[in-house]
Each structure stands twice: as C-alpha cells, then as structure tokens.
C-alpha cells in the first residue's frame, strides 16, 4: 500500500489506506493468510505453480526469483498455491 500513497494526493489516499487496513483486519479475523515465497530455495514437488524457469548467472541452486501471485491459506490449509518464476543456475554452473 505504501507504494501507492505517493501517487495519490493525501486527501484521496487516506480513505483508500483505511479500506485496505480494514480488509487486512477482516482477513486476519477469517484466518486467511498469504505467503510470498520470493527468495526461497525451490525444490521439485513443492506446492507452487511454476510459470517459468529462467537461467540466471547469479544463482547456484533453483531459487524462487519472483512471485506473480502469492499463496493463500485459510486456517493454515493451502487454498491457492503461489504462482512463481524460478531462477535456475546456468548450464554447467557448479553447485555448492
């Protein structure tokens, strides 16, 4: 939300911020949580929807480089898996 506030005049941003905060409160009350796995190691069989694998020179093992949509949990149970982009080592790169 903070990234949107500079785009709006303060008078317009306040009601929007209040609405977002109320929505967050309601989600917490309903025991809905979201999880952004960006930056975590990726392993086959994890419950993510991989949209793309991209080779990157700066990784030594598969890593979740971007979360397009976060995972949604209801009462701790996965409701919607995260949609992610996974960075993989370049072909021939040595693993640690």
């Amino acid at each position: 939300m903070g990234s949107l506030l500079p785009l709006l005049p303060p008078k317009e941003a306040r009601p929007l911020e209040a609405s977002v905060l109320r929505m967050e409160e309601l989600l917490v009350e309903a025991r809905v949580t979201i999880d952004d796995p960006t930056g975590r190691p990726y392993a086959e069989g994890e419950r993510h929807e991989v949209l793309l694998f991209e080779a990157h020179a700066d990784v030594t093992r598969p890593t979740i480089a971007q979360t397009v949509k976060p995972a949604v949990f209801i009462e701790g149970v996965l409701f919607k898996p995260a949609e992610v982009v996974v960075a993989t080592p370049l072909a021939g790169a040595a693993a640690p």
Side-chain angles (χ1 to χ4, degrees):
M1 177 69 193
S3 63
L4 290 178
L5 293 180
L7 301 175
L8 297 172
K11 185 177 181 180
E12 293 177 22
R14 278 190 292 278
L16 180 60
E17 184 176 21
S19 295
V20 169
L21 291 173
R22 180 62 183 139
M23 185 178 295
E24 288 176 345
E25 290 172 4
L26 291 170
L27 290 172
V28 167
E29 289 173 16
R31 299 185 58 183
V32 174
T33 56
I34 61 169
D35 180 49
D36 178 350
T38 300
R40 295 185 198 151
Y42 172 78
E44 282 293 322
E46 288 189 348
R47 297 185 335 179
H48 302 302
E49 292 181 23
V50 178
L51 303 177
L52 182 66
F53 287 95
E54 292 182 323
H56 285 267
D58 58 342
V59 297
T60 56
R61 63 182 181 188
T63 304
I64 298 173
Q66 178 184 1
T67 299
V68 177
K69 292 183 181 178
V72 178
F73 293 84
I74 299 175
E75 295 187 1
V77 178
L78 181 64
F79 177 74
K80 173 77 172 93
E83 295 180 10
V84 299
V85 175
V86 176
T88 59
L90 292 174

